[in-house]
Amino acid sequence: MPLGEHLRELRKRLMLACAGILVGAIGGWFLYDPVFQLLQLPVSDLRERGVDATLNFSNVAASFDIKLRVAAFLGFLASSPWWIYQVWAFLAPGLRSKERRWALMVIGAGVPLFAGGIFMAWTALPNTFLLLTQFVPDGETSSALIDVTTYLKFVMQFLLIFGVAFVLPLILVLLNFLGVAKGMTWLKGWRWAVIIIFVLAALATPTADAVTFVLMALPIIGLYFAAVGICLLNDRRVAKKALAAGVGSDVDTDVSS
C-alpha cells in the first residue's frame, strides 16, 4: 500500500476512534453525578474516621473542568473495545493470516484484562487512599482540604495504570505465538522480569508509598508467570507438530525409495 494510502487510512481510523470516544464522553457527561459520587467514596471513608475531609473546588471553572475530565475518562473506558478495534483494523492489512489470527485473539483477551486491572485498582483504591491520609490527625481541629483536580487526577491515573499494566503480559504471549521468542527465554529471565516490574510499578504509581506499587507489582508478576506458562505450552505444541511433520516426511522418503 502506498504511503499516501497508509496516511489516509491512519487518519480514517483516528477519526473513527475519536468519534467513538466522543460518543462515550457524551454518555459520560450524563452519568457524571452518580460517577462523581462513587469517586468520592474514599473521601467519605476518611470522614467516617473522624477527619474533616472535603474536596475543594479551588477556582471558578473547576467544577466545569472536572465534569469534562470525568466525561472524557468515562468515554475512553466505555469505548475501549471500539478504539482497540480501530488499531486492529489499521494493522490487519499488513499482517499475514496467522499473525492476524493471533493479534485478534490478543485484542479479544486484552479488553477483559484491561477491565480486570481497573476493577482491581478500584478495589484497592479506598485502602490506598486511607493509607496515604492516615497521618491527618483526628479531631475537630483537623481538616483536610483536598484539591478536587489533584484528587481526580490521582484516581484516574491509578485506574488507568493498573488497566494498562494488566495487558502487558499479553505481549509476551503474542511474541511467542509469532515465533519471535521461546517460553524458556522468558522463564530464564524471570528474576530480571520481577525486578523490572517492581521498578516500573514504583515509577508508574502516582504516589511515592511502597504499598501502592507492591499492590500493583504482585498481580503483574502473577500474570507474567501465567503468560510464561502459556508460552511453554505453545512451544511444546509446536515441537510436537514439527516432530510429527518430520516423522511423516521420513516415512514418505522411505516409501518412495
Side-chain angles (χ1 to χ4, degrees), residues 172-174 176-177 181-184 186 226-236:
L172 306 184
V173 177
L174 179 61
N176 176 259
F177 276 54
K182 298 290 186 182
M184 190 57 65
W186 302 130
V228 170
I230 294 173
C231 293
L232 291 174
L233 290 175
N234 180 62
D235 289 341
R236 183 179 300 179

Side-chain angles (χ1 to χ4, degrees), residues 16-67:
L16 289 172
C18 291
I21 295 173
L22 180 60
V23 171
I26 292 172
W29 180 272
F30 294 102
L31 293 174
Y32 169 75
D33 289 333
V35 170
F36 188 72
Q37 293 300 320
L38 286 175
L39 294 176
Q40 290 186 87
L41 288 179
V43 181
S44 301
D45 292 341
L46 191 60
R47 282 199 292 266
E48 290 177 0
R49 277 184 47 211
V51 177
D52 182 17
T54 307
L55 290 178
N56 180 35
F57 291 84
S58 57
N59 57 68
V60 175
S63 58
F64 179 73
D65 178 61
I66 291 302
K67 191 166 185 176

Side-chain angles (χ1 to χ4, degrees), residues 62-124:
S63 58
F64 179 73
D65 178 61
I66 291 302
K67 191 166 185 176
L68 281 178
R69 286 172 182 260
V70 172
F73 179 69
L74 292 176
F76 182 79
L77 295 184
S79 64
S80 58
W82 172 253
W83 55 258
I84 288 176
Y85 169 75
Q86 298 306 320
V87 175
W88 154 253
F90 177 72
L91 296 176
L95 300 176
R96 295 192 295 269
S97 58
K98 182 180 179 181
E99 294 172 339
R100 208 176 289 178
R101 183 172 70 251
W102 294 130
L104 189 58
M105 290 176 61
V106 167
I107 291 173
V111 172
L113 277 175
F114 181 73
I118 289 179
F119 175 77
M120 182 173 180
W122 177 253
T123 303

